[in-house]
Amino acid sequence: MKVAILGSGSWGTALANVLVDNNVETLIWGISDSEINDINNNKKNQKYFDVKLNENIKATNEIKNISDCDILLLAVPTNAIEDVCIQASKIVNKDVIVINVAKGFHPVTHERLSTVIEKNFKKLKSVVSLIGPSHAEEVVVKLLTTVNAVSSDEESAKIVQELFSNSYFRVYTNTDVIGAEIGVAIKNVMAIASGILSGIGQGDNARAALMTRGLAEIARYGIFFGGKPETFLGLDGVGDLIVTCTSVHSRNFQAGLKIGKDNSALEFLKNNKYTVEGIKACKVVYEESIKNNIVMPITEQVYKILYEGKKPTDAVEDLMSRDLKSEI
């Protein structure tokens, strides 16, 4: 079985390394010649981490070389999913399992990413989301990690589970596509909020409250759209929320940290050059929550910080002065 990974960034590289460690024929495709050459010639991807990769790892900048793959893994940012699907579906010569590892929503239609893939990838057997609490920086050095292979097609999810699982990377399966995709997308919004709290000088108590009340928002939103309550207590809910809200590897947390230290998002948004999925996800979730009358107070304040210029300290004050209520 041959796997093609579209995207030569940190996560695509780390997951390719897992597969090659498992003796799975794997090819990375990317548009950066420097990354491709580094992978092929030095067995490293030093733009992201100075780690020696498996000697058998291979990469290409010619998308035609993915034509005979059996499984296609999309390791590109959310806003590129649609275009990459259209491009890749013209190249592959048979129906394939498409694995998505991005976490977010279509920025215009607000659709979940599996829906975007299904609409735009013509030669499709099934879609599997490989998602959960994971950072590429840890996976590439073989630190213990567990994630979910999420799909309505259980057979395909099990194929992905077996391909990736090994002594340091364990994969579970889950059929709650709606809940899992929503959980891993909105946790990025909460990670920005967590970073903001740290940036303005708040401590562990505040971040514990943020994650707990943030989980309540994620579950409220996800259940409204058809997700299962138990999913939000699993890897794609509380698990991913914890790792993204607490880790220095999280771009969303780091974005929030900078915004909090500045007490403003303006400078960060002006100069940021990295993909921070929570920024666009926040806009989608906020707009959908208003449209559907879903109470999302943390998301609302993050939106106002990012899109309306509100000061983080004022946002925190507004959250803490909301009408008192029962937790449940």
Side-chain angles (χ1 to χ4, degrees):
M1 186 169 287
K2 183 175 181 180
V3 179
I5 294 182
L6 300 190
S8 58
S10 58
W11 200 213
T13 301
L15 290 174
N17 205 55
V18 173
L19 289 172
V20 178
D21 278 354
N22 292 354
N23 297 312
V24 177
E25 184 179 359
T26 306
L27 181 67
I28 301 171
W29 170 81
I31 59 175
S32 169
D33 290 340
S34 62
E35 291 171 17
I36 299 305
N37 290 334
D38 199 15
I39 293 168
N40 285 331
N41 299 329
N42 305 316
K43 304 306 176 185
K44 290 186 175 183
N45 194 342
Q46 296 172 84
K47 180 178 178 180
Y48 301 100
F49 23 62
D50 187 20
V51 175
K52 195 74 171 178
L53 304 171
N54 189 299
E55 285 295 326
N56 295 318
I57 201 164
K58 297 176 182 178
T60 182
N61 57 12
E62 296 283 349
I63 196 169
K64 65 182 181 181
N65 292 333
I66 72 164
S67 61
D68 61 341
C69 69
D70 302 292
I71 294 178
L72 189 68
L73 187 149
L74 301 176
V76 297
T78 295
N79 61 358
I81 291 286
E82 187 172 23
D83 289 341
V84 170
C85 280
I86 293 170
Q87 185 179 3
S89 64
K90 297 175 182 176
I91 303 298
V92 296
N93 55 27
K94 55 187 169 184
D95 290 350
V96 296
I97 296 173
V98 174
I99 302 173
N100 172 57
V101 299
K103 301 171 179 180
F105 304 96
H106 190 286
V108 178
T109 67
H110 297 183
E111 293 168 313
R112 290 178 290 103
L113 297 183
S114 62
T115 302
V116 176
I117 294 167
E118 288 166 355
K119 284 187 173 182
N120 291 283
F121 202 95
K122 305 306 177 186
K123 296 175 181 176
L124 181 65
K125 179 181 178 183
S126 59
V127 179
V128 179
S129 296
L130 190 64
I131 47 181
S134 50
H135 289 303
E137 295 85 353
E138 295 190 359
V139 172
V140 79
V141 294
K142 301 178 174 53
L143 294 181
L144 300 182
T145 302
T146 59
V147 297
N148 266 328
V150 184
S151 181
S152 57
D153 184 335
E154 292 187 67
E155 180 183 351
S156 294
K158 289 178 180 177
I159 290 172
V160 172
Q161 178 184 45
E162 292 171 2
L163 278 177
F164 280 89
S165 292
N166 59 27
S167 62
Y168 65 88
F169 196 81
R170 181 175 174 84
V171 183
Y172 292 86
T173 62
N174 190 323
T175 58
D176 182 15
V177 175
I178 295 172
E181 288 189 75
I182 286 175
V184 299
I186 305 182
K187 58 87 187 180
N188 284 330
V189 179
M190 301 306 160
I192 293 174
S194 179
I196 287 172
L197 285 178
S198 292
I200 64 175
Q202 291 297 327
D204 293 342
N205 292 354
R207 287 172 66 194
L210 179 279
M211 285 187 279
T212 306
R213 298 310 302 161
L215 182 61
E217 283 192 26
I218 293 169
R220 189 181 304 128
Y221 188 96
I223 292 168
F224 177 88
F225 285 102
K228 298 178 180 178
E230 58 267 29
T231 295
F232 305 105
L233 297 178
L235 292 171
D236 296 324
V238 66
D240 211 1
L241 180 69
I242 291 170
V243 77
T244 314
C245 285
T246 61
S247 175
V248 295
H249 296 310
S250 167
R251 289 181 183 176
N252 292 280
F253 176 83
Q254 289 293 343
L257 186 65
K258 170 64 176 171
I259 291 167
K261 287 180 177 179
D262 292 343
N263 203 25
S264 169
L266 296 179
E267 191 69 20
F268 175 81
L269 295 174
K270 179 181 177 182
N271 297 305
N272 177 52
K273 295 180 175 62
Y274 295 99
T275 299
V276 181
E277 296 283 22
I279 294 174
K280 292 181 179 177
C282 182
K283 186 174 186 293
V284 171
V285 174
Y286 174 72
E287 290 176 353
E288 288 294 323
S289 69
I290 295 299
K291 176 183 175 182
N292 295 287
N293 295 313
I294 307 170
V295 179
M296 305 283 283
I298 299 170
T299 301
E300 178 183 5
Q301 293 302 326
V302 175
Y303 175 86
K304 289 181 176 180
I305 292 168
L306 294 174
Y307 292 96
E308 296 180 359
K310 188 170 187 176
K311 289 184 178 181
T313 49
D314 290 341
V316 170
E317 184 177 343
D318 285 348
L319 282 171
M320 291 299 290
S321 61
R322 293 177 68 234
D323 291 343
L324 300 178
K325 54 179 286 189
S326 171
E327 181 188 19
I328 305 301

